[in-house]
Amino acid sequence: MEKKIEIPTVSVIGIVLLLGLCHVSMAEKKTYIIHMAKSEMPASFEDHSHWYDSSLKSVSESAEMLYTYNNVIHGFSTRLTPEEAREMETRPGILSVLPELRYELHTTRTPTFLGLDQNAAMFPESDSASDVIVGVLDTGAWPESPSFDDTGFGPVPSSWKGECEIGTNFTKSNCNKKLIGARYFARGYEATLGPIDESKESKSPRDDDGHGTHTSTTAAGSIVSGASLFGYAAGTARGMAPRARVAVYKVCWIGGCFSSDILAAMDKAIDDSVNVMSLSLGGGMSDYYRDSVAIGAFAAMEKGILVSCSAGNAGPSAYSLSNVAPWITTVGAGTLDRDFPAFVSLGNGKNYSGVSLFKGDSLPGKLLPLVYAGNVTNVTNGNLCMTGTLIPEKVKGKIVLCDRGINPRVQKGSVVKAAGGIGMVLTNTAANGEELVADAHLLPATAVGETTGKVIKDYLFSDSNPTATIMFEGTKVGIEPSPVVAAFSSRGPNSITPEILKPDLIAPGVNILAGWSGAVGPTGLAEDSRRVGFNIISGTSMSCPHVSGLAALLKAAHPDWSPAAIRSALMTTAYTAYKNGNVIQDVSTGKPSTPFDHGSGHVDPVSALNPGLVYDLEAEDYLNFLCALNYTSAQINSLARRNFSCGANKAYSVNDLNYPSFAVSLQAQMGSTGSTGSSLVKHTRTLTSVGPPGTYKVSISTSSDSVKISVNPGALTFSQTNEKKSYTVTFSATSMPSNTNEFGRIEWSDGKHVVGSPVAISWT
């Protein structure tokens, strides 16, 4: 099946997975993940693994376990026929039998843009900063990257329980005091797709793709001076937490990332004692008890591990989010204030701006013939410059205008080059609007927005001899407005639980410079023979590790904070407006973004260090949340790994989960006399003081007169650290709304700290 949404990264894996997310199926056996109720193990078994084996043999003598799981779930994964899987579901002690899912990857100026350079003294450079361990589940690591240099690092933290696994092109000496652990997980992948072809990818933690090296060094790469991609974005590269340690867990391969492998990696990462888990991947949208990442993240949360995940690259469509469980920090993508301009100069004297990371021989110093791909092809979708669709005789020596969509942007340039074209202008269509993502093209090329593309097409179709050239301008900083929400960044509302606002926040995810694999070129294309130490790519895959690294910084500064407290600090201090007061723009519309686009706003790590108050959560709060969703005992057990019964006489409400944001569903009804009926919803929240004593007063803003928001009490006084105070918010409909969604904001301030929460109101 075709996937109509282009993944804006250059990852080879991302290209393969354009085929889309689907259940992996084979003619006979398939992989299943079996959740067991450990408390129901018969006394005749000494060990739960013997019980698992016996349960499996009762339905299939030949089946073998791929993995047994101890932390994320109690259970195992195996290969069964659909009939055997149905039979397994009837066995005693079985909570669920879930089919394997394939997940996809959601594929340096950032520290300066985030204010980390000027405020370095605020963040601890002590041992606590280097005691924090960030676990990254991705395509592995290229250990020779200078971003993994361990110069100046002390001994590996005593808390570390992991190891450096050996395999193809990877030995224990590839780990050091920076890259302290490396594992790989391929049993689920190989069970479905057959043995790994070691001539194409390393059966080891080594990263042959680039994606994993990029994400792990974004989160916690060491400081490297003189970093750039072909001279673009030149400067000092550093991860968000450059003193933190990195552990990589390779779960993604050429054919995808499989849930049995992901669960096994999360299981090990918990055992290994990571402090933060970063996953720049996602699957379909399913209930939490069926979602492997959500299941693994629940166990991690209980161990005090913050789990940060990418929101997905399926924007700007509504309801397009991945990883929406409330115990996961869900990260969307915004832009930096840096660009890589490359201008199209037309034969009519007009110039139009685009972006490019091309480095090589420039075009001849003259105007060249310009053709539209749709006019130099024999196929109906030739305008997309897909492989083998251009006619060489009509392309040779010319600049080709290609439309964006379906196949990777860099591949389009390769197709033009293969057909004899000398350059390319890549134009956005309505799906991407004015969003510009720079690429290290294989030929002189630039990408332009939809509006510019239409103007160039008008010239091309109306002029009898259209000509053009492309001029490359290098790196420009200070671009305004910035940030803007990336068009590809997945959007709310939350399709699983609309009452939980997602994404949680946005972070830099467009044109990000970070470490890269030495096994693949910057485009990820097989024909790209160039090799680089750093690459510039885009996606929520890039924004997620920014937050993972920032969470590590906060964990170092506040070792006693829970994952929920760290997320709260990042969310309540995020900003939603530029310095001129205007709301952060959505590049897909050119209009102000909303909480469904940016969540709580753009991350501001310096403010997050001292938030004043936090919204804290414990495992029991999430269990009560599951009760409010009317989950069965078995479904809750699948997540909690223990028996938990919802109180028959207790009133559970999703609105009472102590989340740092508000998503509200209101009913607007016309009364019998034509007057508007009222709908009323209440949310309860509790704030915990993590700063000095003080009195916080509330302020409320809303975009609508259709709803009244009131907070009781209107002031909260805290006299000591860790003191808790609760308040109730009442949302009431007062008139018929003019929009489907309304937005607002609730802020608590003591004059020094501002604790902000977005409000998203949906009318039903």
Side-chain angles (χ1 to χ4, degrees), residues 492-649:
N494 181 335
S495 62
I496 305 299
T497 314
E499 299 87 350
I500 301 296
L501 181 61
K502 292 282 184 171
D504 290 315
L505 72 174
I506 60 170
V510 178
N511 298 336
I512 303 301
L513 179 80
W516 196 245
S517 169
V520 66
T523 62
L525 297 175
E527 58 266 36
D528 189 353
S529 61
R530 301 170 298 175
R531 294 296 179 263
V532 297
F534 293 85
N535 199 7
I536 296 172
I537 57 175
S538 302
T540 55
S541 275
M542 283 64 255
S543 54
C544 165
H546 277 88
V547 168
S548 308
L550 295 174
L553 282 182
L554 292 187
K555 184 69 176 175
H558 304 285
D560 57 330
W561 280 12
S562 70
I566 292 172
R567 175 180 58 192
S568 173
L570 291 166
M571 288 174 66
T572 62
T573 58
Y575 61 91
T576 57
Y578 305 116
K579 287 174 182 170
N580 63 8
N582 293 336
V583 174
I584 291 173
Q585 244 182 55
D586 177 357
V587 74
S588 71
T589 62
K591 296 176 181 176
S593 59
T594 76
F596 288 142
D597 309 319
H598 62 235
S600 292
H602 192 283
V603 68
D604 180 1
V606 177
S607 298
L609 192 66
N610 181 18
L613 306 172
V614 295
Y615 294 89
D616 209 354
L617 283 161
E618 297 175 351
E620 188 173 343
D621 299 307
Y622 293 118
L623 292 171
N624 290 335
F625 163 79
L626 298 176
C627 289
L629 296 181
N630 295 317
Y631 272 29
T632 65
S633 294
Q635 289 166 350
I636 293 175
N637 198 335
S638 289
L639 283 156
R641 307 166 320 287
R642 61 182 181 275
N643 291 327
F644 181 86
S645 297
C646 304
N649 299 320

Side-chain angles (χ1 to χ4, degrees), residues 119-132 238 240-244 550 552-559 609:
N119 298 279
M122 298 177 66
F123 290 91
E125 283 295 326
S126 62
D127 289 344
S128 64
S130 61
D131 283 344
V132 178
R238 49 163 287 189
M240 295 296 96
R243 301 294 300 165
L550 295 174
L553 282 182
L554 292 187
K555 184 69 176 175
H558 304 285
L609 192 66

